[in-house]
Amino acid sequence: MQNSKAWNFGDNVNTDFILPGRYLELTDPKKLAEHAMEGLDPTFSSNVKKGDIIIGGKNFGLGSSREHAPIALKYSGINIIVAESFARIFYRNAFNIGIAAIECQNISHKVKTGDNIEVNLAKGKILVHGEKLSIKPLPEFMLQLLNEGGLVNYIKNHIKEW
Amino acid sequence: MGYTISEKILAEHAGLKHVEPGEIVKAKIDLAMAPDLTAVLAYNAMKEMGVSKVWDPSKVIFLLDHIAPSTNIQNATLHKQCREIAYNEKMKYFYDINAGVCHQVLPEKGHVYPGMLLVGADSHTCTHGAFGAFATGIGSTDMGAVLATGKLWFKVPETIKIEAVGNLQDRVYPKDLILKIAKEIGADGATYSSIEFTGESIKNMSISGRMTLCNMAIEMGGKTGIVETDEITLEYLRNRIIQKPNIFKSDSDAMYSKILKINSDKIVPQVSCPHSVDNVRDITELKSININQIFIGSCTNGRLDDLEVTAEILKNKIISDKVRLHVTPASMGVYKKALEKGLIKILIDAGAVICNPSCGACFGGNNGILAPGEVGLSTSNRNFKGRQGSPEAQVYLCSPATAAASALTGVITDPRVI
Ligand code: SF4
């Protein structure tokens, strides 16, 4: 269970917002984190705290395949993103690096930035303002990726049968 | 029950008789491509997986195109690392800064063939569906897994069928068609899906036009775009590919999650307005929009036929002094042909700046960045806020003909009236 502060960025948060293209040459994850969400909120990186949760509306993470985007978020301390829907490549990238991308109906209309939000992945429940919301169950494989800390570890552990 | 081309290619590569949408399969990769900005991350991920060498150096291609030539020490270092990895791994194919945009270079050099399964560490890898391949963009960790093992897991996508009937009118192009489709389907209307382009308009369309369509499948959330292989495909591939094409066709009773019929005859030039690709209008609805910078290039519209239309419109004319025009051929092959045909001279005489083949202004890396408050018009595929420079700039998307016509006037202009 995680009890955290929410950051709501609304619909269509694209990868150029999450990490603008001009920073793609950076390879140090900590440096990437300094520019996380810069396209929407240049103060995000200095105000975000470890364990905070990002909220989105529909099509979160659309655009580029750049893994720099979820990496920038991860090294900003984000390990859960809850949105109404995700773009395909971002969804995969998030799980691959150990961020849980959780789909939950209407979430962007129920939570404001600064609100408190409780996410219980094991029970598949979210608690906001005393209201319990259910989340779309994760496919078995995605759960396993999260449990093993992402695709790097997963391959390390299962290379024989991969 | 029948199957679609995408399902058949995935089944074959997963070693299964058939696969169903939603099923997760592990499939063998025929070719893995990584461009400069993502290659090193992918390679590092492979190393972290405890694997020291790529699975097959003849099936991995690194390519330096996004920022080429380098513009600062940081990206120069990235390029240096890519070169060293390619050399040490004895990669059979490596393309340095003198090649062009990955999605143009791969087919031109004969790496793409019907029936293959291709992954690229770049979202527009879907472009290669124009050749009857299943091609999709992946992130660097996924690419790390591919470099390590030659395999990747896929969720089998549902297929959306687009049937484009009739033919595009004069000065209306595949770019206008795909913008119209993006408007209909929406920026997330094809999430996780494969988009199969069919119909008379596609049958009569050049390879270049089909690449423009498939290129933008991702802008609707698509996993890939795909076109059935025909004589036009094979003609393009003749003398380029070594592999024997493995041609799949969708069965007549294949299952589609959605079928969208579009009448190409009725389409007028389309413009995608800031800041979302599906915010598309008929050009006739737009009122004098002043522009500062025009970019003609990218893996969407930087090919020879694109430069031909541009030159045809700009011939013996001078662009408006209110705009700057950057033309970036998508590859060195395109550039050379444009030189031979005299197109480059026409463009320079008209006042264009010719940039070297690369991604250029497309993603705001170099070669033409927008300042705050400026308006750009671009033949590329994305107009997200901040994509081509300042987040306070605006980007409109259109066909090369619309871009060229607008270069003459300094405002977004219908190419049919010039
Ligand atoms: S031209 Fe633009 S869209 Fe195409 S690969 Fe380069 S940056 Fe991406």
Side-chain angles (χ1 to χ4, degrees):
Chain A
M1 200 192 58
Q2 196 167 316
N3 188 345
S4 319
K5 182 188 153 185
W7 294 81
N8 188 345
F9 291 104
D11 285 340
N12 296 315
V13 176
N14 66 58
T15 48
D16 282 278
F17 289 161
I18 305 171
L19 192 88
R22 56 188 173 281
Y23 303 120
L24 292 180
E25 60 201 32
L26 301 175
T27 46
D28 178 355
K30 284 190 221 88
K31 287 253 163 60
L32 287 171
E34 287 168 18
H35 302 286
M37 298 309 302
E38 198 173 289
L40 282 180
D41 177 2
T43 64
F44 174 81
S45 63
S46 35
N47 292 327
V48 65
K49 299 246 162 25
K50 195 171 165 34
D52 284 0
I53 287 178
I54 287 187
I55 306 296
K58 61 182 171 67
N59 211 10
F60 192 98
L62 72 155
S64 147
S65 67
R66 62 184 70 152
E67 208 158 297
H68 309 65
I71 291 176
L73 295 179
K74 183 174 173 172
Y75 281 81
S76 307
I78 302 291
N79 57 12
I80 296 178
I81 302 171
V82 189
E84 280 143 36
S85 67
F86 288 88
R88 182 190 73 85
I89 304 179
F90 186 90
Y91 185 80
R92 281 185 79 119
N93 286 349
F95 282 95
N96 281 346
I97 63 164
I99 292 182
I102 307 297
E103 290 174 280
C104 176
Q105 268 180 13
N106 245 335
I107 186 78
S108 74
H109 303 285
K110 307 215 164 185
V111 187
K112 287 189 306 300
T113 294
D115 284 356
N116 203 60
I117 173 168
E118 245 178 74
V119 176
N120 190 327
L121 275 186
K123 291 214 174 113
K125 288 271 177 271
I126 291 181
L127 195 66
V128 272
H129 309 304
E131 186 186 355
K132 258 196 208 137
L133 307 171
S134 55
I135 61 184
K136 204 168 150 192
L138 289 177
E140 180 71 25
F141 181 65
M142 308 319 262
L143 263 179
Q144 210 173 338
L145 273 183
L146 279 187
N147 288 340
E148 301 199 18
L151 187 66
V152 165
N153 285 343
Y154 185 88
I155 299 264
K156 244 200 242 164
N157 299 342
H158 302 274
I159 195 146
K160 292 240 165 61
E161 72 259 33
W162 182 258
Chain B
M1 195 191 82
Y3 294 94
T4 66
I5 311 176
S6 303
E7 288 154 6
K8 291 182 184 186
I9 298 178
L10 282 175
E12 159 137 333
H13 287 79
L16 298 166
K17 262 185 109 175
H18 30 72
V19 295
E20 309 290 337
E23 191 179 339
I24 291 186
V25 297
K26 213 173 286 162
K28 275 198 188 136
I29 305 298
D30 294 312
L31 183 68
M33 180 278 296
D36 45 4
L37 295 177
T38 46
V40 176
L41 276 180
Y43 192 74
N44 290 346
M46 175 196 88
K47 287 265 154 117
E48 283 173 43
M49 287 165 189
V51 173
S52 61
K53 285 267 169 210
V54 303
W55 103 98
D56 183 344
S58 72
K59 291 185 174 167
V60 179
I61 297 182
F62 278 12
L63 198 148
L64 311 185
D65 61 350
H66 275 64
I67 303 189
S70 54
T71 54
N72 60 32
I73 297 172
Q74 210 115 33
N75 55 51
T77 309
L78 210 53
H79 281 186
K80 179 169 176 265
Q81 290 169 322
C82 289
R83 291 185 187 104
E84 284 168 359
I85 295 169
Y87 181 80
N88 291 336
E89 287 281 352
K90 301 196 176 56
M91 281 181 201
K92 193 159 166 204
Y93 304 100
F94 168 74
Y95 294 101
D96 214 301
I97 57 162
N98 56 355
V101 183
C102 51
H103 308 306
Q104 182 60 24
V105 174
L106 288 191
E108 236 173 53
K109 298 285 185 187
H111 297 293
V112 185
Y113 55 92
M116 79 185 300
L117 177 55
L118 189 169
V119 291
D122 184 275
S123 62
H124 291 99
T125 304
C126 49
T127 311
H128 307 286
F131 303 91
F134 188 93
T136 191
I138 58 175
S140 330
T141 306
D142 270 335
M143 184 53 85
V146 174
L147 296 181
T149 66
K151 286 183 219 141
L152 193 64
W153 67 271
F154 295 91
K155 185 160 133 201
V156 178
E158 297 184 312
T159 303
I160 295 176
K161 176 154 132 175
I162 309 276
E163 205 182 327
V165 297
N167 281 300
L168 294 167
Q169 302 293 302
D170 202 27
R171 295 263 151 100
V172 182
Y173 300 88
K175 180 60 163 289
D176 300 304
L177 173 60
I178 193 66
L179 289 179
K180 184 83 183 177
I181 294 171
K183 179 184 186 174
E184 299 280 319
I185 292 194
D188 62 349
T191 303
Y192 298 108
S193 302
S194 167
I195 306 179
E196 195 175 312
F197 297 98
T198 67
E200 187 187 352
S201 327
I202 316 297
K203 284 212 170 70
N204 296 331
M205 195 179 281
S206 68
I207 276 293
S208 174
R210 295 175 185 182
M211 287 172 78
T212 304
L213 298 186
C214 291
N215 177 268
M216 293 194 65
I218 176 80
E219 305 313 329
M220 291 158 266
K223 189 165 190 152
T224 191
I226 202 157
V227 175
E228 189 180 286
T229 303
D230 62 7
E231 253 323 298
I232 294 178
T233 329
L234 296 175
E235 178 55 37
Y236 179 90
L237 297 175
R238 206 159 285 143
N239 303 326
R240 282 184 211 265
I241 59 169
I242 318 161
Q243 287 86 351
K244 204 173 155 299
N246 192 4
I247 301 173
F248 293 99
K249 296 188 190 262
S250 291
D251 297 324
S252 54
D253 58 345
M255 293 286 287
Y256 294 96
S257 59
K258 205 188 285 175
I259 297 180
L260 179 71
K261 212 169 181 177
I262 294 244
N263 194 339
S264 297
D265 297 309
K266 298 238 165 72
I267 295 176
V268 303
Q270 302 287 302
V271 177
S272 162
C273 302
H275 295 285
S276 164
V277 181
D278 57 357
N279 184 14
V280 174
R281 307 275 162 79
D282 287 353
I283 197 161
T284 45
E285 290 170 42
L286 298 179
K287 300 230 160 50
S288 26
I289 295 163
N290 292 312
I291 37 187
N292 304 102
Q293 173 179 297
I294 300 179
F295 168 59
I296 298 179
S298 86
C299 52
T300 322
N301 280 119
R303 283 177 279 281
L304 192 65
D305 54 340
D306 300 317
L307 303 190
E308 275 169 346
V309 202
T310 308
E312 183 197 314
I313 292 174
L314 296 185
K315 191 164 186 182
N316 298 327
K317 300 204 174 112
I318 303 282
I319 61 168
S320 157
D321 55 10
K322 294 196 204 79
V323 295
R324 42 189 200 267
L325 170 62
H326 302 245
V327 178
T328 307
S331 73
M332 207 49 103
V334 170
Y335 197 1
K336 274 197 213 155
K337 286 219 179 94
L339 273 171
E340 281 162 19
K341 293 194 145 194
L343 308 179
I344 299 294
K345 173 141 191 332
I346 295 174
L347 300 181
I348 294 175
D349 286 345
V353 172
I354 312 293
C355 303
N356 65 298
S358 66
C359 294
C362 175
F363 80 107
N366 61 350
N367 284 344
I369 310 263
L370 293 169
E374 285 196 321
V375 179
L377 182 65
S378 172
T379 68
S380 57
N381 45 38
R382 258 178 210 156
N383 57 356
F384 299 161
K385 221 176 184 181
R387 171 83 176 169
Q388 293 187 343
S390 167
E392 283 113 62
Q394 303 201 320
V395 182
Y396 291 82
L397 305 176
C398 66
S399 76
T402 300
S406 307
L408 292 174
T409 57
V411 293
I412 295 185
T413 300
D414 191 333
R416 298 171 304 172
V417 300
I418 213 114

